[in-house]
Amino acid sequence: MKNKYRILKIVVTVIILGLLLSFSLKRFSGQKITDNKISVKMNEKTPVYFIDEKDIREIVKKENPSGKVGNLNIPVLEKKINALPAVDSANVYLNLNGKLYLDIRQRVPVFRLNKDGRDFYVDGKGIEFPISKTYSHPCMLVTGNVKPADYQKLAELVEKIDKDDFSKKFFIGISKSKDDYNLLTSDGNYKVEIGDLDNIEFKVKGLKTFVEKYLVFQDPQKYSMVSVKYQNQIVTTLNPYFKENDSILKAGNKELAKTPVLAAVKKPQALPKTAEKTKTPSAKPKEKTKPKITAKPKETKKADKKPAAAKSKAKVKVE
């Protein structure tokens, strides 16, 4: 009995609510949706202006030419607004007073991509949408043949750069050549090669340390590339058009030019003929001194005075 009573109570409640709703709809179906009864809200955290309130109101008027509440098809209107490229989500509903609410969230670009001669934006979800003729959003410019599979990782890289004060001021763009990504810098004409999009946080931290402890003390025109694509090392490439690098770059060529000359000088010294000439004079005095040195110990056994005289003679000959 209790269960039947509960079911009956629920059915009665639903019927009453349905009657109230139908009554309110009949009451307001003949009313017109004036501008005062349309509320448009943009709910994105970052302000963007790809579409404005005026555009939304025009869409509402096109979908409901009569302007009456009863002729408005809310699901169709909501689908129409969601189909806009710059709209991430839209929620459309009416209250019991006949006021129309439109809660809209626009797509916020993370970077602008120039690919195959075409410009478009990419949001944090990796979704493409076209640029606007009336509004240009400030964001990182990316160039090159970037694959859609890399959109989300690239968006994460740009977001990390935007959150860091140093990186945000230092990096102004990203380019892709073949399979390597490069960061374009605001100071100097060199680019930073980062390779793939793996271990991005580690690479950016290493570059930041290198810049703060070394590059800030160098001329920004000194290098043409700084590479952090290799694990645990940073490789720099000198700019050949920078005057101060001329002596450094030419030094290697000069040393290479001198090496054959040095080799030619060393070769005649190693010839066997010159070695024989140097050995013959040194061998002759040794033959003269040997018999006298061997004869001296025999004389020392007989007398102590004779070896002293022999030693003095040997010293004179050696000099």
Side-chain angles (χ1 to χ4, degrees), residues 160-175:
K160 287 178 181 178
I161 292 173
D162 290 338
K163 290 178 181 178
D164 184 66
D165 292 335
F166 166 80
S167 301
K168 189 175 183 180
K169 294 178 181 177
F170 196 71
F171 302 124
I172 58 173
I174 301 174
S175 66

Side-chain angles (χ1 to χ4, degrees), residues 150-161:
D150 290 343
Y151 285 172
Q152 201 155 0
K153 284 187 176 181
L154 197 58
E156 291 176 3
L157 169 61
V158 176
E159 286 176 350
K160 287 178 181 178
I161 292 173

Side-chain angles (χ1 to χ4, degrees), residues 117-246:
R118 186 170 66 95
D119 280 348
F120 54 89
Y121 291 113
V122 178
D123 66 358
K125 298 178 182 178
I127 298 175
E128 301 177 3
F129 62 100
I131 60 175
S132 174
K133 295 180 180 180
T134 58
Y135 172 70
S136 178
H137 186 74
C139 58
M140 184 76 74
L141 177 63
V142 181
T143 59
N145 187 20
V146 181
K147 297 178 181 179
D150 290 343
Y151 285 172
Q152 201 155 0
K153 284 187 176 181
L154 197 58
E156 291 176 3
L157 169 61
V158 176
E159 286 176 350
K160 287 178 181 178
I161 292 173
D162 290 338
K163 290 178 181 178
D164 184 66
D165 292 335
F166 166 80
S167 301
K168 189 175 183 180
K169 294 178 181 177
F170 196 71
F171 302 124
I172 58 173
I174 301 174
S175 66
K176 184 182 180 183
S177 58
K178 296 182 180 180
D179 295 330
D180 291 332
Y181 285 93
N182 304 303
L183 299 176
L184 307 179
T185 59
S186 59
D187 189 15
N189 65 343
Y190 63 92
K191 57 185 177 180
V192 179
E193 185 182 41
I194 60 174
D196 54 28
L197 296 174
D198 296 330
N199 300 321
I200 287 298
E201 190 171 355
F202 178 76
K203 292 176 182 178
V204 173
K205 281 184 178 179
L207 177 67
K208 182 179 178 180
T209 304
F210 177 71
V211 170
E212 291 177 342
K213 293 188 176 181
Y214 177 75
L215 276 183
V216 291
F217 304 106
Q218 305 296 318
D219 193 300
Q221 304 297 326
K222 185 175 182 179
Y223 299 103
S224 61
M225 180 181 288
V226 177
S227 178
V228 293
K229 66 181 288 188
Y230 305 103
Q231 188 175 6
N232 296 328
Q233 58 181 320
I234 296 175
V235 181
T236 59
T237 304
L238 292 174
N239 180 13
Y241 301 102
F242 186 54
K243 291 183 179 180
E244 294 183 10
N245 289 338
D246 290 345

Side-chain angles (χ1 to χ4, degrees), residues 212-317:
E212 291 177 342
K213 293 188 176 181
Y214 177 75
L215 276 183
V216 291
F217 304 106
Q218 305 296 318
D219 193 300
Q221 304 297 326
K222 185 175 182 179
Y223 299 103
S224 61
M225 180 181 288
V226 177
S227 178
V228 293
K229 66 181 288 188
Y230 305 103
Q231 188 175 6
N232 296 328
Q233 58 181 320
I234 296 175
V235 181
T236 59
T237 304
L238 292 174
N239 180 13
Y241 301 102
F242 186 54
K243 291 183 179 180
E244 294 183 10
N245 289 338
D246 290 345
S247 58
I248 300 174
L249 294 171
K250 291 178 181 178
N253 295 331
K254 290 181 180 179
E255 289 179 1
L256 290 172
K258 290 180 181 179
T259 48
V261 178
L262 294 171
V265 174
K266 290 179 181 178
K267 284 182 180 178
Q269 291 179 356
L271 290 174
K273 291 182 180 180
T274 54
E276 290 177 1
K277 289 180 182 179
T278 53
K279 288 180 181 178
T280 48
S282 61
K284 289 179 181 179
K286 288 180 182 178
E287 291 175 358
K288 292 179 181 179
T289 54
K290 281 180 181 179
K292 291 182 180 180
I293 291 167
T294 52
K296 286 174 186 177
K298 292 179 180 179
E299 293 176 358
T300 52
K301 291 179 181 178
K302 295 179 181 180
D304 297 330
K305 294 180 182 179
K306 289 180 180 179
K311 286 178 182 179
S312 62
K313 289 179 182 180
K315 286 180 181 179
V316 173
K317 287 181 181 179

